[in-house]
Every structure is written in C-alpha cells, then in structure tokens.
Amino acid sequence: MKIKSYGHFTPYQGDVAAYAFFRNEHGHDWYDLQRGKVAGIGKLVELGPKGAFVKSPHAVWLVVDPEGRVINVEVDPSRIVPRDKTVLGIDGASPGDFSAGMIFQGGQILPAPPAPPAPYYINKETPWMRMTDEEAEAVDVAYNAASVRFRQSYNSAVSLRPDTALWDEWRTILVGVLGEPRTDQLLERE
C-alpha cells in the first residue's frame, strides 16, 4: 500500500466570494489540484462530459481530521471538502480496506482504537432491592443524614450511571455503611 499526502487544507478567501476555497500548507488550492493546475502534480480527478466521475490516480482517498482520525473514505476526490482536514491518496488498496475511525499516524493507517465501553445505567431501586432488610435499614440512616442537595438529586433521578457525581456520592454512602465489596455487588450491571 502506498500513501500520498496532499496536505492539510484550510479555508481561504478565493476570487469568488460565494464559494469555499481550501489550500494546503504548500499554498496549493484543492480545486486547482483536482484540475491538474499545480505544476508537477497531475489531475486528481477526471470527470465525464456531464460532470460524472470517471477516474482518479488513486484507488482510494481518505480524509483525516487534525487528530489523525479517518473521517471519510472516497473513490471520487471531487466529493471531498477538505475544510481543516488532510487528504490522502492510497494505491494498492480498496475502499473496503478502510473505515471511519482508523488512525493516520507515522505515515501509516492504523486500525481504529476500540470504542470506550458505554457507561451502564441501573435503576435507582436496584441496589435497594439487592440489599437485605438489615442493610437497607442501615443505608437508610446514612441516606437521611446526607445533604439535602444529594437527596433531592437522588429522589428526582430515575437511574444511576457510574460517570456522574450522583453515582459517586451514592457509592460513598454505600461503602461507608456496607464496605466496598458489598457496594460493588449492589451496583453491578443489571
């Protein structure tokens, strides 16, 4: 697989105010590159008489955001709008070899990192239902001693989610009364 970078393109004011223009760090206009108007670089796209895509010099085109993530896979570079993006031409590969989320780093296309696990939710009554009567009575005492702000937030919630302050405060109360291992059991996924 061979990767050719056409650079990172940023917007600039062209000669027609109603159109968006983009140029790379070498000062090359994206649309001039497509039409073959940049010395030493052939046409990037050949269109038919009615403007339909015919061919380009690369099998695949990738659009990469400033963080290096592939955001678009194309065959027709005339469909690319490279606002604040890097454009790559790829040979020796097919469009199916790439997908959004892959990473362009060190001149290579790397697999997409795994998505972070989605936070889970549990119904707020789930921990109560999992407690013994004795545990529930002890937790109720600690709950009623908690701040009004916490109790009002807890009372208005439908569910609990681990990436929230409400979860953290609820967990602190449970750990204080029942210990960490039991709290983890009470707050497990449903």
Side-chain angles (χ1 to χ4, degrees), residues 34-94:
Q34 286 185 43
R35 292 186 295 261
K37 293 185 176 185
V38 175
I41 300 176
K43 287 174 83 171
L44 300 185
V45 64
E46 184 178 324
L47 300 176
K50 294 184 180 182
F53 172 73
V54 175
K55 66 179 180 176
S56 77
H58 301 291
V60 183
W61 294 85
L62 301 181
V63 181
V64 179
D65 72 11
E67 288 78 37
R69 285 186 306 262
V70 172
I71 60 164
N72 194 15
V73 180
E74 278 292 341
V75 174
D76 175 0
S78 69
R79 296 177 54 164
I80 294 172
V81 179
R83 178 183 301 274
D84 296 317
K85 307 291 185 291
T86 298
V87 177
L88 306 173
I90 312 289
D91 292 320
S94 66

Short mmCIF file of all heavy atoms in Angstrom, two decimals, residues 34-94:
data_model
loop_
_atom_site.label_atom_id
_atom_site.label_comp_id
_atom_site.label_asym_id
_atom_site.label_seq_id
_atom_site.Cartn_x
_atom_site.Cartn_y
_atom_site.Cartn_z
N GLN A 34 -7.18 19.28 -8.12
CA GLN A 34 -8.09 18.35 -8.79
C GLN A 34 -8.02 18.50 -10.30
O GLN A 34 -8.04 17.52 -11.04
CB GLN A 34 -9.53 18.58 -8.33
CG GLN A 34 -9.83 18.08 -6.95
CD GLN A 34 -11.29 18.24 -6.61
OE1 GLN A 34 -12.17 17.95 -7.43
NE2 GLN A 34 -11.57 18.69 -5.40
N ARG A 35 -7.93 19.74 -10.77
CA ARG A 35 -7.95 20.01 -12.22
C ARG A 35 -6.57 19.89 -12.86
O ARG A 35 -6.44 20.11 -14.05
CB ARG A 35 -8.52 21.41 -12.46
CG ARG A 35 -10.00 21.51 -12.11
CD ARG A 35 -10.57 22.86 -12.49
NE ARG A 35 -10.00 23.95 -11.73
CZ ARG A 35 -10.55 24.53 -10.66
NH1 ARG A 35 -11.73 24.12 -10.25
NH2 ARG A 35 -9.96 25.53 -10.06
N GLY A 36 -5.53 19.59 -12.07
CA GLY A 36 -4.19 19.44 -12.64
C GLY A 36 -3.51 20.77 -12.91
O GLY A 36 -2.62 20.85 -13.75
N LYS A 37 -3.88 21.82 -12.19
CA LYS A 37 -3.31 23.15 -12.41
C LYS A 37 -2.14 23.47 -11.49
O LYS A 37 -1.73 24.61 -11.38
CB LYS A 37 -4.40 24.22 -12.25
CG LYS A 37 -5.46 24.14 -13.32
CD LYS A 37 -6.45 25.28 -13.18
CE LYS A 37 -7.45 25.24 -14.31
NZ LYS A 37 -8.34 26.40 -14.28
N VAL A 38 -1.61 22.45 -10.81
CA VAL A 38 -0.45 22.65 -9.94
C VAL A 38 0.72 21.92 -10.58
O VAL A 38 0.64 20.72 -10.86
CB VAL A 38 -0.71 22.11 -8.51
CG1 VAL A 38 0.54 22.22 -7.66
CG2 VAL A 38 -1.87 22.87 -7.88
N ALA A 39 1.82 22.66 -10.83
CA ALA A 39 2.99 22.10 -11.51
C ALA A 39 3.50 20.86 -10.79
O ALA A 39 3.60 20.84 -9.56
CB ALA A 39 4.09 23.15 -11.59
N GLY A 40 3.79 19.82 -11.56
CA GLY A 40 4.36 18.59 -11.01
C GLY A 40 3.35 17.62 -10.46
O GLY A 40 3.71 16.53 -10.04
N ILE A 41 2.09 18.01 -10.44
CA ILE A 41 1.04 17.11 -9.94
C ILE A 41 -0.02 17.02 -11.02
O ILE A 41 -0.58 18.02 -11.45
CB ILE A 41 0.42 17.65 -8.63
CG1 ILE A 41 1.51 17.77 -7.55
CG2 ILE A 41 -0.71 16.73 -8.16
CD1 ILE A 41 1.04 18.38 -6.26
N GLY A 42 -0.29 15.81 -11.46
CA GLY A 42 -1.31 15.62 -12.50
C GLY A 42 -2.70 15.83 -11.95
O GLY A 42 -2.91 16.08 -10.76
N LYS A 43 -3.67 15.70 -12.84
CA LYS A 43 -5.07 15.84 -12.43
C LYS A 43 -5.42 14.79 -11.39
O LYS A 43 -5.05 13.64 -11.51
CB LYS A 43 -6.00 15.68 -13.64
CG LYS A 43 -5.99 16.83 -14.60
CD LYS A 43 -6.80 16.53 -15.83
CE LYS A 43 -8.26 16.79 -15.56
NZ LYS A 43 -9.08 16.72 -16.79
N LEU A 44 -6.16 15.20 -10.39
CA LEU A 44 -6.58 14.27 -9.35
C LEU A 44 -7.93 13.64 -9.66
O LEU A 44 -8.30 12.66 -9.03
CB LEU A 44 -6.65 14.98 -8.00
CG LEU A 44 -5.35 15.59 -7.49
CD1 LEU A 44 -5.54 16.13 -6.09
CD2 LEU A 44 -4.21 14.60 -7.54
N VAL A 45 -8.64 14.23 -10.60
CA VAL A 45 -9.94 13.68 -10.95
C VAL A 45 -10.22 13.95 -12.42
O VAL A 45 -9.89 15.00 -12.95
CB VAL A 45 -11.06 14.27 -10.05
CG1 VAL A 45 -11.21 15.75 -10.26
CG2 VAL A 45 -12.38 13.57 -10.26
N GLU A 46 -10.80 12.94 -13.05
CA GLU A 46 -11.25 13.11 -14.43
C GLU A 46 -12.76 12.94 -14.42
O GLU A 46 -13.29 11.93 -13.95
CB GLU A 46 -10.61 12.08 -15.35
CG GLU A 46 -10.98 12.29 -16.81
CD GLU A 46 -10.29 11.28 -17.72
OE1 GLU A 46 -9.13 10.92 -17.46
OE2 GLU A 46 -10.94 10.86 -18.69
N LEU A 47 -13.43 13.97 -14.92
CA LEU A 47 -14.89 13.94 -14.97
C LEU A 47 -15.34 13.79 -16.41
O LEU A 47 -14.69 14.26 -17.35
CB LEU A 47 -15.46 15.23 -14.37
CG LEU A 47 -15.09 15.52 -12.92
CD1 LEU A 47 -15.63 16.88 -12.48
CD2 LEU A 47 -15.59 14.43 -12.00
N GLY A 48 -16.47 13.16 -16.60
CA GLY A 48 -17.03 12.98 -17.93
C GLY A 48 -17.71 14.26 -18.41
O GLY A 48 -17.76 15.27 -17.69
N PRO A 49 -18.25 14.25 -19.62
CA PRO A 49 -18.86 15.45 -20.19
C PRO A 49 -20.01 16.02 -19.38
O PRO A 49 -20.26 17.22 -19.39
CB PRO A 49 -19.35 15.00 -21.58
CG PRO A 49 -19.12 13.55 -21.67
CD PRO A 49 -18.31 13.10 -20.50
N LYS A 50 -20.71 15.20 -18.61
CA LYS A 50 -21.81 15.69 -17.80
C LYS A 50 -21.40 15.88 -16.34
O LYS A 50 -22.24 16.03 -15.46
CB LYS A 50 -23.00 14.74 -17.90
CG LYS A 50 -23.60 14.69 -19.29
CD LYS A 50 -24.81 13.81 -19.32
CE LYS A 50 -25.39 13.80 -20.73
NZ LYS A 50 -26.59 13.00 -20.80
N GLY A 51 -20.10 15.86 -16.08
CA GLY A 51 -19.61 16.09 -14.72
C GLY A 51 -19.55 14.86 -13.84
O GLY A 51 -19.24 14.96 -12.66
N ALA A 52 -19.83 13.70 -14.41
CA ALA A 52 -19.78 12.46 -13.62
C ALA A 52 -18.33 12.00 -13.47
O ALA A 52 -17.52 12.14 -14.38
CB ALA A 52 -20.61 11.37 -14.29
N PHE A 53 -18.03 11.44 -12.32
CA PHE A 53 -16.68 10.93 -12.04
C PHE A 53 -16.34 9.80 -13.01
O PHE A 53 -17.14 8.91 -13.25
CB PHE A 53 -16.63 10.43 -10.59
CG PHE A 53 -15.35 9.72 -10.25
CD1 PHE A 53 -14.17 10.43 -10.08
CD2 PHE A 53 -15.32 8.35 -10.10
CE1 PHE A 53 -12.99 9.78 -9.76
CE2 PHE A 53 -14.15 7.70 -9.77
CZ PHE A 53 -12.98 8.41 -9.61
N VAL A 54 -15.10 9.86 -13.56
CA VAL A 54 -14.62 8.82 -14.45
C VAL A 54 -13.48 8.05 -13.78
O VAL A 54 -13.53 6.84 -13.65
CB VAL A 54 -14.15 9.40 -15.80
CG1 VAL A 54 -13.53 8.33 -16.69
CG2 VAL A 54 -15.31 10.08 -16.52
N LYS A 55 -12.43 8.78 -13.34
CA LYS A 55 -11.31 8.10 -12.69
C LYS A 55 -10.43 9.12 -11.96
O LYS A 55 -10.58 10.33 -12.14
CB LYS A 55 -10.47 7.33 -13.70
CG LYS A 55 -9.74 8.20 -14.71
CD LYS A 55 -8.91 7.35 -15.66
CE LYS A 55 -8.18 8.25 -16.66
NZ LYS A 55 -7.30 7.49 -17.54
N SER A 56 -9.53 8.57 -11.13
CA SER A 56 -8.54 9.39 -10.43
C SER A 56 -7.26 8.58 -10.36
O SER A 56 -7.27 7.37 -10.60
CB SER A 56 -9.04 9.77 -9.03
OG SER A 56 -8.92 8.69 -8.15
N PRO A 57 -6.14 9.21 -10.02
CA PRO A 57 -4.88 8.47 -10.00
C PRO A 57 -4.72 7.52 -8.80
O PRO A 57 -3.77 6.77 -8.74
CB PRO A 57 -3.83 9.58 -9.95
CG PRO A 57 -4.51 10.72 -9.31
CD PRO A 57 -5.94 10.63 -9.76
N HIS A 58 -5.63 7.58 -7.84
CA HIS A 58 -5.54 6.71 -6.66
C HIS A 58 -6.81 5.88 -6.53
O HIS A 58 -7.91 6.34 -6.84
CB HIS A 58 -5.34 7.53 -5.39
CG HIS A 58 -4.11 8.38 -5.41
ND1 HIS A 58 -2.83 7.86 -5.37
CD2 HIS A 58 -3.96 9.72 -5.51
CE1 HIS A 58 -1.95 8.85 -5.42
NE2 HIS A 58 -2.61 9.98 -5.51
N ALA A 59 -6.64 4.67 -6.02
CA ALA A 59 -7.78 3.77 -5.84
C ALA A 59 -8.70 4.23 -4.72
O ALA A 59 -9.91 4.02 -4.77
CB ALA A 59 -7.28 2.35 -5.55
N VAL A 60 -8.12 4.86 -3.70
CA VAL A 60 -8.88 5.27 -2.53
C VAL A 60 -8.39 6.63 -2.08
O VAL A 60 -7.20 6.94 -2.18
CB VAL A 60 -8.70 4.27 -1.36
CG1 VAL A 60 -9.54 4.66 -0.16
CG2 VAL A 60 -9.00 2.85 -1.79
N TRP A 61 -9.31 7.44 -1.56
CA TRP A 61 -8.98 8.73 -0.97
C TRP A 61 -9.48 8.72 0.47
O TRP A 61 -10.60 8.28 0.74
CB TRP A 61 -9.67 9.86 -1.74
CG TRP A 61 -9.13 10.00 -3.12
CD1 TRP A 61 -9.52 9.30 -4.23
CD2 TRP A 61 -8.10 10.87 -3.54
NE1 TRP A 61 -8.79 9.70 -5.32
CE2 TRP A 61 -7.91 10.67 -4.92
CE3 TRP A 61 -7.31 11.82 -2.89
CZ2 TRP A 61 -6.96 11.36 -5.66
CZ3 TRP A 61 -6.37 12.52 -3.62
CH2 TRP A 61 -6.19 12.29 -4.99
N LEU A 62 -8.64 9.21 1.38
CA LEU A 62 -9.04 9.30 2.78
C LEU A 62 -8.99 10.76 3.21
O LEU A 62 -8.09 11.50 2.82
CB LEU A 62 -8.10 8.50 3.68
CG LEU A 62 -7.98 7.01 3.41
CD1 LEU A 62 -7.03 6.36 4.41
CD2 LEU A 62 -9.33 6.32 3.45
N VAL A 63 -9.95 11.14 4.01
CA VAL A 63 -9.99 12.47 4.62
C VAL A 63 -9.73 12.25 6.11
O VAL A 63 -10.41 11.45 6.75
CB VAL A 63 -11.35 13.17 4.39
CG1 VAL A 63 -11.35 14.55 5.01
CG2 VAL A 63 -11.65 13.24 2.89
N VAL A 64 -8.74 12.98 6.63
CA VAL A 64 -8.27 12.77 8.00
C VAL A 64 -8.41 14.06 8.79
O VAL A 64 -8.00 15.12 8.33
CB VAL A 64 -6.80 12.30 7.98
CG1 VAL A 64 -6.26 12.10 9.39
CG2 VAL A 64 -6.65 11.03 7.16
N ASP A 65 -8.98 13.97 10.00
CA ASP A 65 -9.14 15.17 10.82
C ASP A 65 -7.81 15.54 11.51
O ASP A 65 -6.84 14.77 11.44
CB ASP A 65 -10.30 15.01 11.81
CG ASP A 65 -10.03 14.06 12.95
OD1 ASP A 65 -8.87 13.62 13.16
OD2 ASP A 65 -10.99 13.73 13.67
N PRO A 66 -7.73 16.70 12.17
CA PRO A 66 -6.48 17.12 12.79
C PRO A 66 -5.94 16.15 13.86
O PRO A 66 -4.75 16.16 14.15
CB PRO A 66 -6.81 18.48 13.41
CG PRO A 66 -7.92 19.00 12.56
CD PRO A 66 -8.73 17.78 12.20
N GLU A 67 -6.79 15.31 14.43
CA GLU A 67 -6.34 14.34 15.43
C GLU A 67 -5.84 13.05 14.78
O GLU A 67 -5.44 12.12 15.47
CB GLU A 67 -7.47 14.00 16.42
CG GLU A 67 -7.77 15.13 17.39
CD GLU A 67 -8.60 16.24 16.76
OE1 GLU A 67 -9.50 15.95 15.94
OE2 GLU A 67 -8.33 17.41 17.07
N GLY A 68 -5.89 12.97 13.45
CA GLY A 68 -5.41 11.79 12.74
C GLY A 68 -6.46 10.73 12.48
O GLY A 68 -6.15 9.67 11.96
N ARG A 69 -7.71 11.00 12.81
CA ARG A 69 -8.79 10.03 12.58
C ARG A 69 -9.31 10.13 11.15
O ARG A 69 -9.60 11.22 10.67
CB ARG A 69 -9.95 10.27 13.54
CG ARG A 69 -9.71 9.83 14.95
CD ARG A 69 -10.97 9.98 15.78
NE ARG A 69 -11.49 11.34 15.70
CZ ARG A 69 -11.26 12.28 16.62
NH1 ARG A 69 -10.57 12.02 17.69
NH2 ARG A 69 -11.76 13.49 16.48
N VAL A 70 -9.45 8.98 10.51
CA VAL A 70 -10.08 8.94 9.19
C VAL A 70 -11.56 9.25 9.39
O VAL A 70 -12.23 8.62 10.21
CB VAL A 70 -9.89 7.56 8.54
CG1 VAL A 70 -10.71 7.45 7.25
CG2 VAL A 70 -8.42 7.29 8.27
N ILE A 71 -12.05 10.24 8.66
CA ILE A 71 -13.47 10.59 8.79
C ILE A 71 -14.26 10.30 7.52
O ILE A 71 -15.48 10.32 7.55
CB ILE A 71 -13.67 12.06 9.21
CG1 ILE A 71 -13.08 13.00 8.17
CG2 ILE A 71 -13.09 12.32 10.58
CD1 ILE A 71 -13.58 14.42 8.32
N ASN A 72 -13.54 10.05 6.41
CA ASN A 72 -14.25 9.79 5.17
C ASN A 72 -13.38 8.94 4.26
O ASN A 72 -12.17 9.15 4.18
CB ASN A 72 -14.61 11.11 4.48
CG ASN A 72 -15.62 10.96 3.38
OD1 ASN A 72 -16.29 9.94 3.28
ND2 ASN A 72 -15.76 11.96 2.55
N VAL A 73 -13.99 7.98 3.58
CA VAL A 73 -13.33 7.13 2.60
C VAL A 73 -14.03 7.38 1.28
O VAL A 73 -15.25 7.25 1.19
CB VAL A 73 -13.43 5.64 2.99
CG1 VAL A 73 -12.74 4.77 1.96
CG2 VAL A 73 -12.86 5.40 4.38
N GLU A 74 -13.27 7.73 0.26
CA GLU A 74 -13.85 8.09 -1.05
C GLU A 74 -13.12 7.40 -2.19
O GLU A 74 -11.95 7.04 -2.05
CB GLU A 74 -13.75 9.61 -1.29
CG GLU A 74 -14.82 10.43 -0.66
CD GLU A 74 -16.21 10.21 -1.26
OE1 GLU A 74 -16.33 9.69 -2.39
OE2 GLU A 74 -17.17 10.56 -0.58
N VAL A 75 -13.78 7.28 -3.31
CA VAL A 75 -13.16 6.87 -4.56
C VAL A 75 -13.05 8.09 -5.46
O VAL A 75 -12.10 8.23 -6.22
CB VAL A 75 -14.00 5.76 -5.24
CG1 VAL A 75 -13.45 5.42 -6.61
CG2 VAL A 75 -14.04 4.53 -4.37
N ASP A 76 -14.00 8.99 -5.34
CA ASP A 76 -14.08 10.20 -6.16
C ASP A 76 -13.61 11.41 -5.35
O ASP A 76 -14.32 11.88 -4.46
CB ASP A 76 -15.54 10.39 -6.60
CG ASP A 76 -15.79 11.67 -7.36
OD1 ASP A 76 -14.85 12.46 -7.58
OD2 ASP A 76 -16.96 11.89 -7.75
N PRO A 77 -12.40 11.94 -5.62
CA PRO A 77 -11.90 13.07 -4.83
C PRO A 77 -12.68 14.36 -5.04
O PRO A 77 -12.59 15.27 -4.22
CB PRO A 77 -10.45 13.21 -5.28
CG PRO A 77 -10.43 12.63 -6.65
CD PRO A 77 -11.45 11.54 -6.65
N SER A 78 -13.48 14.45 -6.10
CA SER A 78 -14.25 15.67 -6.31
C SER A 78 -15.37 15.80 -5.27
O SER A 78 -15.95 16.87 -5.12
CB SER A 78 -14.83 15.73 -7.73
OG SER A 78 -15.84 14.76 -7.91
N ARG A 79 -15.65 14.74 -4.53
CA ARG A 79 -16.68 14.78 -3.48
C ARG A 79 -16.11 15.23 -2.13
O ARG A 79 -16.85 15.39 -1.17
CB ARG A 79 -17.30 13.39 -3.33
CG ARG A 79 -18.05 12.96 -4.59
CD ARG A 79 -18.59 11.59 -4.45
NE ARG A 79 -19.41 11.52 -3.23
CZ ARG A 79 -20.25 10.56 -2.97
NH1 ARG A 79 -20.41 9.58 -3.80
NH2 ARG A 79 -20.94 10.56 -1.84
N ILE A 80 -14.80 15.44 -2.07
CA ILE A 80 -14.15 15.79 -0.81
C ILE A 80 -14.18 17.30 -0.60
O ILE A 80 -13.85 18.08 -1.49
CB ILE A 80 -12.69 15.30 -0.80
CG1 ILE A 80 -12.65 13.77 -0.81
CG2 ILE A 80 -11.92 15.86 0.40
CD1 ILE A 80 -11.27 13.18 -0.99
N VAL A 81 -14.57 17.70 0.59
CA VAL A 81 -14.49 19.10 1.03
C VAL A 81 -13.52 19.09 2.21
O VAL A 81 -13.89 18.72 3.32
CB VAL A 81 -15.87 19.66 1.44
CG1 VAL A 81 -15.73 21.10 1.92
CG2 VAL A 81 -16.86 19.55 0.29
N PRO A 82 -12.26 19.50 1.97
CA PRO A 82 -11.22 19.28 2.98
C PRO A 82 -11.06 20.39 4.02
O PRO A 82 -9.94 20.70 4.42
CB PRO A 82 -9.97 19.15 2.12
CG PRO A 82 -10.22 20.09 0.99
CD PRO A 82 -11.70 19.97 0.71
N ARG A 83 -12.13 20.97 4.50
CA ARG A 83 -12.03 22.06 5.49
C ARG A 83 -11.34 21.55 6.75
O ARG A 83 -11.84 20.69 7.45
CB ARG A 83 -13.40 22.60 5.83
CG ARG A 83 -13.39 23.70 6.90
CD ARG A 83 -14.77 24.18 7.27
NE ARG A 83 -15.49 24.70 6.14
CZ ARG A 83 -15.41 25.98 5.70
NH1 ARG A 83 -14.64 26.83 6.31
NH2 ARG A 83 -16.11 26.37 4.66
N ASP A 84 -10.15 22.11 7.03
CA ASP A 84 -9.35 21.73 8.20
C ASP A 84 -9.10 20.22 8.26
O ASP A 84 -9.12 19.62 9.33
CB ASP A 84 -10.01 22.22 9.50
CG ASP A 84 -10.06 23.74 9.55
OD1 ASP A 84 -9.06 24.38 9.19
OD2 ASP A 84 -11.10 24.28 9.95
N LYS A 85 -8.85 19.63 7.11
CA LYS A 85 -8.60 18.19 7.02
C LYS A 85 -7.37 17.92 6.14
O LYS A 85 -6.98 18.73 5.33
CB LYS A 85 -9.80 17.47 6.38
CG LYS A 85 -11.14 17.74 7.01
CD LYS A 85 -11.28 17.16 8.37
CE LYS A 85 -12.65 17.33 8.97
NZ LYS A 85 -13.05 18.64 9.33
N THR A 86 -6.81 16.72 6.30
CA THR A 86 -5.72 16.24 5.47
C THR A 86 -6.30 15.27 4.46
O THR A 86 -7.18 14.47 4.81
CB THR A 86 -4.65 15.54 6.34
OG1 THR A 86 -4.12 16.50 7.25
CG2 THR A 86 -3.52 14.97 5.49
N VAL A 87 -5.82 15.34 3.22
CA VAL A 87 -6.30 14.46 2.17
C VAL A 87 -5.18 13.51 1.77
O VAL A 87 -4.05 13.95 1.50
CB VAL A 87 -6.77 15.28 0.94
CG1 VAL A 87 -7.21 14.35 -0.19
CG2 VAL A 87 -7.90 16.22 1.32
N LEU A 88 -5.50 12.21 1.74
CA LEU A 88 -4.54 11.18 1.38
C LEU A 88 -5.04 10.41 0.17
O LEU A 88 -6.21 10.03 0.12
CB LEU A 88 -4.35 10.19 2.53
CG LEU A 88 -3.98 10.74 3.90
CD1 LEU A 88 -4.01 9.63 4.95
CD2 LEU A 88 -2.63 11.42 3.86
N GLY A 89 -4.14 10.16 -0.78
CA GLY A 89 -4.43 9.28 -1.90
C GLY A 89 -3.76 7.94 -1.61
O GLY A 89 -2.59 7.90 -1.22
N ILE A 90 -4.48 6.83 -1.81
CA ILE A 90 -3.97 5.50 -1.47
C ILE A 90 -3.97 4.62 -2.71
O ILE A 90 -4.97 4.54 -3.43
CB ILE A 90 -4.87 4.81 -0.40
CG1 ILE A 90 -5.16 5.75 0.78
CG2 ILE A 90 -4.25 3.50 0.05
CD1 ILE A 90 -4.04 6.04 1.69
N ASP A 91 -2.85 3.95 -2.93
CA ASP A 91 -2.74 2.96 -4.00
C ASP A 91 -2.47 1.60 -3.37
O ASP A 91 -1.92 1.50 -2.28
CB ASP A 91 -1.60 3.31 -4.96
CG ASP A 91 -1.91 4.58 -5.76
OD1 ASP A 91 -3.07 4.74 -6.19
OD2 ASP A 91 -0.99 5.40 -5.94
N GLY A 92 -2.84 0.53 -4.08
CA GLY A 92 -2.59 -0.81 -3.59
C GLY A 92 -3.57 -1.24 -2.51
O GLY A 92 -3.24 -2.08 -1.67
N ALA A 93 -4.74 -0.64 -2.50
CA ALA A 93 -5.77 -0.97 -1.52
C ALA A 93 -7.13 -0.72 -2.16
O ALA A 93 -7.22 -0.13 -3.24
CB ALA A 93 -5.60 -0.13 -0.27
N SER A 94 -8.17 -1.14 -1.48
CA SER A 94 -9.52 -0.88 -1.97
C SER A 94 -10.29 -0.13 -0.89
O SER A 94 -9.91 -0.15 0.29
CB SER A 94 -10.22 -2.18 -2.34
OG SER A 94 -10.44 -2.95 -1.18
#
